[in-house]
Amino acid sequence: MRRPVLVAVGVIVALMGAVFTLQGFGIIGGSPMTVSTLWALLGPIIALLGIVLVVYGLRSGRRR
């Protein structure tokens, strides 16, 4: 049960990080986050954390 939850949360977090990055660079507009250096820097970090969660979730199922 834990594995699918980690993978799902990781995918959502990675997608959110990607959206934040695109907003920070001004590719996606219509938000206070648009063209913001803060979100251009935090977005990739958040996306990377999501990818780490996905990888951890996929690997945790193989130990058993």
Side-chain angles (χ1 to χ4, degrees), residues 40-62:
L41 294 174
L42 288 179
I45 295 169
I46 294 168
L48 182 62
L49 289 174
I51 293 169
V52 168
L53 281 175
V54 169
V55 170
Y56 180 75
L58 292 175
R59 295 187 80 150
S60 67
R62 293 184 181 177

Side-chain angles (χ1 to χ4, degrees), residues 6-27:
L6 279 174
V7 172
V9 170
V11 167
I12 292 168
V13 170
L15 289 174
M16 289 174 57
V19 169
F20 294 165
T21 302
L22 294 174
Q23 286 179 324
F25 285 120
I27 296 171

